[in-house]
Amino acid sequence: MRIVSFQVDTLVGPFTRLGALWKDCVLDLNFACAARLAAHGRPAAQKLADTLLPPDAVAFLELGGSALDEARLALEFVSGQIDSQSTPAGPRGERIVHGAGIVKLLPPLQPRSLRDFFAYEDHALQAASRSGSQLSEKWYEHP
């Protein structure tokens, strides 16, 4: 399974979602999970899916193997729906399967913050002194 982040346009603007490349499409894993849970009679399926298989790649990675297991189950569920000739949809009618040309693939991760402590001279000097070396002159030459 190839996990991707993708952007989909909606009536209220673009949304970034977690997906999987599947056949010639992009599968929305969170909505597929919610559809699977709803099909099994689970109450508040979307809320539960947001916990088990979040629509955000960083949150997905933070959950580790359990989220990956949910992603596999979601993919199997959608495969079964397609094989039975029904069009899979989320519990509130959300689109689960997107044509590759409909969505925009994004970098796999959008970190919540990016910190570069080494950009500051004092931090770089401290790091060099902790390792018992001096700060290279090249540090001053490169932005």
Side-chain angles (χ1 to χ4, degrees):
M1 175 179 350
R2 294 183 57 186
I3 305 291
V4 297
S5 289
F6 68 96
Q7 185 179 64
V8 62
D9 290 326
T10 71
L11 295 174
V12 293
F15 278 86
T16 299
R17 307 282 298 165
L18 178 71
L21 295 181
W22 181 70
K23 299 185 180 186
D24 293 334
C25 303
V26 176
L27 174 79
D28 188 307
L29 288 171
N30 173 262
F31 287 154
C33 178
R36 183 183 71 79
L37 293 168
H40 289 97
R42 298 294 300 264
Q46 185 60 58
K47 192 172 189 178
L48 184 56
D50 290 344
T51 302
L52 296 173
L53 183 53
D56 167 73
V58 174
F60 170 78
L61 290 174
E62 288 173 345
L63 292 176
S66 64
L68 187 57
D69 291 342
E70 288 295 333
R72 286 187 184 111
L73 290 171
L75 187 59
E76 288 172 14
F77 174 77
V78 171
S79 293
Q81 294 289 306
I82 296 290
D83 292 342
S84 68
Q85 301 299 322
S86 65
T87 303
R92 299 176 301 221
E94 300 93 347
R95 179 178 228 158
I96 293 177
V97 180
H98 300 274
I102 303 297
V103 299
K104 176 182 176 185
L105 292 179
L106 300 172
L109 294 174
Q110 287 91 37
R112 293 188 177 114
S113 67
L114 183 60
R115 298 182 182 132
D116 184 4
F117 80 96
F118 211 67
Y120 300 98
E121 183 180 22
D122 287 342
H123 295 165
L125 288 168
Q126 287 176 9
S129 69
R130 275 188 244 133
S131 66
S133 62
Q134 293 184 350
L135 186 60
S136 169
E137 289 300 317
K138 290 185 179 186
W139 186 89
Y140 296 98
E141 296 170 10
H142 296 285

